[in-house]
Amino acid sequence: MTSTPPRGAGASVADGPRRVLVGVDASSDAAAALHAGACAATAIGAELLALTAWAETPPLGVELGVDADRVVIERLQREVEPIAAVFPSLPIRTRVVHGEAARALLTAGMDADLLVVGARGRGGFPGLPLGSTAMLCVLHAPAPVLVVRSSSSGPAFDAADAPGSRRVVVGVAAATTHSAAALRDAARAAQELDASLEVVTAWQAPEQLPGPVPAVTDRVRTTAAARQAAAVREAFPDGPPPRLRETLQEGGAAAVLVAESARSDLLVVGGDSRNALTGVLLGPVALTSVMHASCPVLVVRGGRRG
């Protein structure tokens, strides 16, 4: 394993600063993740740790007989250099680890404030919406995970975007620990991005109905509105943040959030903790959002530090 000291001002990891961890593998999605991670680290006053892991012999893009460690280290440094030029005061640390990428990121991310990954790396099967490393990080990381695509990195991570025009959307179903954590993280992200915050709750009449039944649909919609209001009150007992808007939308939750992502800069969803009976690590709405959203997706779990 190779590690370099932080570039720029800042304390070492051992001193316990806030940290944003980014997985880097020379893919276009990883480059977008590195830029998004630098923006996030700057916003929260954290250091940036760019980590590359390789278990192949030789790694992708490295010829046989070449000093693979040296090539991988130099490649990581080249990927970080443009970020250091754009963010000269940001403390940046690089690390190369021998081993499987997801395991290395999950281990290094145990004390991270945020883990940022590209949706797809260099390997795997073309056409899949989410690579195995990103999937494992979303399923198992205790820290919030930001999933970024190069084709949809979003103006929220572009310094040239006009402040005040950005939009953060958070999906809420009910007042739960995960919803409260997602709401609070979404509010922090909206503040840091100078964005509006839209709390979206989907509702849907029972499919068994033969046709529109106003009394039933009104009851379902009213229940959804009450759950949304309760979730907002639980997350913000002293009152909601400015520029927060609550909306109800008819349809399946996953479909509604994926549609909302097309006109958003960031989508925030709550992750489900492991269920002792079903073994579920991430709910279907969050998983579908991560796989198909048009903008970066932040997955937040309850019961974490910070």
Side-chain angles (χ1 to χ4, degrees), residues 57-59 62-71:
T57 307
V62 178
E63 297 179 1
L64 286 170
V66 174
D67 183 348
D69 272 328
R70 178 181 58 80
V71 172

Side-chain angles (χ1 to χ4, degrees), residues 14 18 43 53 74 92 110 112-114 145 149 155 161 202 205 224-225 239-240 257 282:
R18 304 191 72 180
E74 290 176 352
I92 301 176
M110 290 299 294
D113 293 275
L114 177 67
V145 180
R149 289 178 171 82
D161 187 47
L257 292 178
L282 192 70

Side-chain angles (χ1 to χ4, degrees), residues 138-221:
V138 167
L139 291 176
H140 297 287
V145 180
L146 179 65
V147 180
V148 182
R149 289 178 171 82
S150 58
S151 59
S152 58
S153 56
F157 304 107
D158 184 353
D161 187 47
S165 65
R166 299 162 180 160
R167 180 174 185 258
V168 173
V169 169
V170 55
V172 171
T176 67
T177 302
H178 302 294
S179 292
L183 279 163
R184 287 190 288 266
D185 273 25
R188 281 192 287 266
Q191 181 180 14
E192 291 157 1
L193 295 169
D194 191 13
S196 63
L197 174 61
E198 186 153 350
V199 182
V200 175
T201 298
W203 66 277
Q204 201 168 22
E207 295 180 356
Q208 296 85 353
L209 295 178
V213 181
V216 175
T217 55
D218 288 348
R219 188 182 310 119
V220 173
R221 191 178 190 281

Side-chain angles (χ1 to χ4, degrees), residues 18-102:
R18 304 191 72 180
R19 177 194 294 170
V20 172
L21 172 65
V22 183
V24 182
D25 68 352
S27 66
S28 58
D29 280 5
L34 190 57
H35 184 264
C39 292
T42 300
I44 67 174
E47 73 169 17
L48 181 70
L49 173 59
L51 185 147
T52 289
W54 63 276
E56 303 170 56
T57 307
L60 283 172
V62 178
E63 297 179 1
L64 286 170
V66 174
D67 183 348
D69 272 328
R70 178 181 58 80
V71 172
V72 173
I73 292 169
E74 290 176 352
R75 186 167 65 189
L76 177 58
Q77 293 292 342
R78 286 196 300 271
E79 291 182 86
V80 167
E81 283 173 1
I83 299 299
V86 175
F87 302 88
S89 62
L90 175 65
I92 301 176
R93 184 182 296 271
T94 59
R95 184 181 299 172
V96 173
V97 178
H98 287 230
E100 195 272 328

Side-chain angles (χ1 to χ4, degrees), residues 174-175 225-235 246:
R227 289 176 175 173
Q228 182 186 69
V232 171
R233 285 195 304 271
E234 180 177 325
E246 300 174 36

Side-chain angles (χ1 to χ4, degrees), residues 21 105-106 109 112-118 130 133-148 185 266-269 282 290 296-301 304:
L21 172 65
L105 288 169
L106 290 171
D113 293 275
L114 177 67
L115 171 58
V116 188
V117 293
L130 199 67
T133 297
M135 176 72 80
L136 288 169
C137 288
V138 167
L139 291 176
H140 297 287
V145 180
L146 179 65
V147 180
V148 182
D185 273 25
L266 178 67
L267 174 62
V268 183
V269 294
L282 192 70
V290 169
V297 180
L298 179 65
V299 180
V300 180
R301 299 183 187 278
R304 61 180 177 79

